[in-house]
Amino acid sequence: MRNPIHWLSLVLRLGKAKSAEATVMISQPDAPSLARFLSTSKEQYLRDIRSTPQKGGEWTVVMGNEAGDLDSIASSIAYAWLQSEVHKKPTIPLLQLERDDLDLRAENTYALSLAGITQPKEQLLFLTDLAPFSLTAPRTAFPSHTFALVDHNTLASAYTFQNPSTTVTAILDHHADEGNHLNASPRTIVPSGSCASLVTALFPPEIPATLATLLLTGILIDTNGLKPGGKAVEPDHAAVGFLAPHSTLASSLPPALTTSLHADPSSQSEALHSTSAIKVLTHRLKKLKGSVDHLSARDLLRRDYKEYVLNVPGAGSVRAGLASVPVRLREWEFQDVISLWMEEREIQVLGVLTFFHGGNQGKGKPKREMAWVVCDGRKKDKEEQMPFDVSALAEKLFKGLEGSEELKVKLKKKRRYDMEMNGKLPYSARSRTYDQGNVNANRKVTAPLMKSILEAA
């Protein structure tokens, strides 16, 4: 299988001979073409599955993860464009969100607008468009059976419901490898700051300026603008070095830097990080990402949320959810909505992972907290359910978390954090809240740790 990072370096070397005039032409805004591609693809796909359902099998559906962050959205759109426009294979990006959930992330709509996608609710395909299909409680089969996964590497079980021909043909991801869909090609699961960097590595030397801009925003927001010593690694440096001079930011880059990037995209990462255009865009994206004051407690839970199905010895299949929230626990009424959210999602484990800056006006050091709840959130009318011991599962989880050298958690002892004492949970539920010592351990670290703790014999 072709290594995408090697391929990126190859195509960039091939592209060095292109003239400056050609480079400028590539960098010109081409908003109508990308927006038109998305609108046309959505219209055609919906027409096919509604008029002749069998035609859904002619399409590949590419999806980011269900949290619907900018990296996922940019990666899915870019991969769909590449497959459709370059490889001539009908491919549609699907956002695993309800249409109105797009409003929960201002950074997403801003980045999409930079790419000329100014009416995303009409131009992009959402789960809402595919009703009565449901991700949480499937009762009808998904209309297609061929999938590509970006920014995650396991297809949710809802897509296989009454869909025996389901196939995952491609995976591009930077999370822990869950060991599924081994026949996918490419199956690229490697460390990187952003999945968009891995998608970028598949592109030929020419890329639409608006698409380059969209991919660029996905990488910058996940790597803090290629901050030295941060999350960015070689694939991210190479991708930004390729994308920046092809994006709509190209005219704002110093000419000498642009020349250096065409010669070697990975050679100027520190210079790119320090460039005004990159710093301004990164700052704007980060500011929008942190703008959550207008959201309700329920909105904060679902804004950046992922679910997992775990095979727990003695308990069978356990559904767990992890919500990343950029607000400290004491500043929002999370305890009031947890029970309803777990019931709605039919989950048995919920982790609320907060991250914020301490000090006055949030200008201090970064901090993290965790709130965990275990309860039997299964529907009572389902048959053949294994007995579920909430206390045993909670004890197993809490013991594993508290013993983790990676997280370095410390139990919060103030009464306001005790959800059981505060009467906010069902009688049988168990909960604990922690301060997290390792502020670098985000959900990408916590999710596989939770899985290993609960699935251990």
Side-chain angles (χ1 to χ4, degrees):
M1 182 177 65
R2 184 171 64 193
N3 184 305
I5 305 306
H6 171 75
W7 177 242
L8 175 60
S9 64
L10 174 62
V11 297
L12 289 172
R13 287 199 299 272
L14 291 175
K16 282 197 296 182
K18 290 184 177 290
S19 67
E21 180 181 0
T23 300
V24 171
M25 289 178 63
I26 292 170
S27 299
Q28 293 304 310
D30 53 354
S33 62
L34 180 58
R36 188 182 306 116
F37 160 72
L38 293 168
S39 296
T40 302
S41 297
K42 176 180 179 178
E43 180 182 348
Q44 185 62 53
Y45 179 74
L46 292 177
R47 183 187 304 121
D48 282 354
I49 64 174
R50 290 167 180 171
S51 63
T52 311
Q54 294 84 350
K55 285 189 174 182
E58 299 174 3
W59 289 79
T60 296
V61 177
V62 55
M63 302 180 294
N65 62 56
E66 64 187 296
D69 59 13
L70 181 51
D71 191 24
S72 276
I73 292 176
S75 296
S76 61
I77 290 174
Y79 189 78
W81 186 93
L82 179 69
Q83 291 298 100
S84 297
E85 299 298 301
V86 176
H87 300 299
K88 306 304 178 184
K89 298 177 180 179
T91 306
I92 179 79
L94 169 64
L95 274 60
Q96 294 195 81
L97 305 170
E98 298 300 328
R99 187 181 296 114
D100 288 343
D101 288 352
L102 187 66
D103 296 330
L104 298 177
R105 290 177 174 267
E107 71 275 17
N108 287 356
T109 52
Y110 175 71
L112 289 168
S113 71
L114 293 180
I117 306 167
T118 56
Q119 297 178 303
K121 289 185 177 181
E122 287 72 43
Q123 295 163 321
L124 297 172
L125 184 69
F126 296 87
L127 292 173
T128 312
D129 299 306
L130 302 175
F133 173 79
S134 169
L135 193 58
T136 55
R139 293 180 177 84
T140 59
F142 191 80
S144 297
H145 53 74
T146 303
F147 299 91
L149 308 181
V150 295
D151 208 21
H152 68 307
N153 58 78
T154 296
L155 184 69
S157 59
Y159 296 100
T160 65
F161 179 77
Q162 296 182 354
N163 200 2
S165 300
T166 298
T167 304
V168 174
T169 58
I171 297 176
L172 296 162
D173 188 27
H174 62 147
H175 296 88
D177 190 343
E178 298 180 25
N180 298 315
H181 318 303
L182 299 181
N183 293 325
S185 180
R187 190 178 185 276
T188 303
I189 305 175
V190 296
S192 64
S194 171
C195 181
S197 300
L198 307 180
V199 177
T200 299
L202 299 177
F203 270 75
E206 295 188 6
I207 180 173
T210 46
L211 190 53
T213 303
L214 183 60
L215 284 165
L216 186 62
T217 62
I219 301 170
L220 294 181
I221 199 169
D222 274 8
T223 65
N224 197 10
L226 297 182
K227 182 180 180 180
K231 296 179 181 179
V233 293
E234 175 57 27
D236 306 299
H237 297 310
V240 173
F242 167 65
L243 294 169
H246 290 81
S247 72
T248 55
L249 273 67
S251 61
S252 301
L253 300 176
L257 176 59
T258 300
T259 301
S260 296
L261 292 174
H262 282 301
D264 183 355
S266 301
S267 65
Q268 299 293 327
S269 57
E270 289 194 17
L272 274 170
H273 169 71
S274 302
T275 299
S276 176
I278 296 296
K279 291 177 76 70
V280 168
L281 178 55
T282 302
H283 177 75
R284 177 63 173 161
L285 291 168
K286 287 177 60 179
K287 185 175 181 179
L288 288 170
K289 184 176 181 179
S291 299
V292 296
D293 292 346
H294 62 292
L295 299 180
S296 67
R298 183 178 181 278
D299 286 344
L300 286 171
L301 274 184
R302 66 192 183 97
R303 173 182 176 273
D304 191 355
Y305 176 81
K306 293 183 182 179
E307 281 185 8
Y308 310 83
V309 179
L310 310 176
N311 185 20
V312 178
S317 179
V318 170
R319 293 177 63 88
L322 293 180
S324 293
V325 181
V327 183
R328 68 175 70 197
L329 291 172
R330 73 186 189 195
E331 293 180 357
W332 59 293
E333 301 299 326
F334 73 99
Q335 297 186 30
D336 293 341
V337 297
I338 279 181
S339 291
L340 290 175
W341 180 254
M342 295 184 74
E343 180 179 345
E344 176 184 335
R345 303 298 302 187
E346 298 185 43
I347 59 175
Q348 292 79 57
V349 177
L350 175 64
V352 180
L353 317 178
T354 72
F355 55 100
F356 55 93
H357 286 266
N360 294 329
Q361 299 180 343
K363 295 182 179 180
K365 294 182 178 180
K367 295 179 179 291
R368 287 186 182 271
E369 304 165 305
M370 293 179 151
W372 292 88
V373 178
V374 180
C375 71
D376 191 350
R378 301 176 298 180
K379 296 294 185 183
K380 306 306 179 187
D381 59 350
K382 291 189 176 180
E383 299 178 356
E384 300 180 359
Q385 292 188 145
M386 294 184 66
F388 187 75
D389 189 334
V390 170
S391 295
L393 186 67
E395 182 61 28
K396 185 178 185 180
L397 174 63
F398 300 152
K399 183 178 179 180
L401 293 170
E402 291 166 12
S404 169
E405 288 297 319
E406 200 162 18
L407 296 179
K408 296 180 171 59
V409 300
K410 182 179 179 181
L411 184 67
K412 286 180 177 286
K413 296 182 179 180
K414 290 185 178 180
R415 180 185 173 92
R416 69 182 175 199
Y417 295 112
D418 192 330
M419 289 178 277
E420 296 173 42
M421 290 288 292
N422 293 339
K424 300 290 186 177
L425 300 175
Y427 174 75
S428 61
R430 296 293 179 264
S431 68
R432 286 189 189 175
T433 57
Y434 303 98
D435 289 308
Q436 181 179 318
N438 181 6
V439 297
N440 294 317
N442 57 13
R443 183 170 54 198
K444 197 183 296 185
V445 174
T446 303
L449 177 63
M450 172 188 69
K451 178 179 172 69
S452 65
I453 291 171
L454 292 179
E455 291 190 338

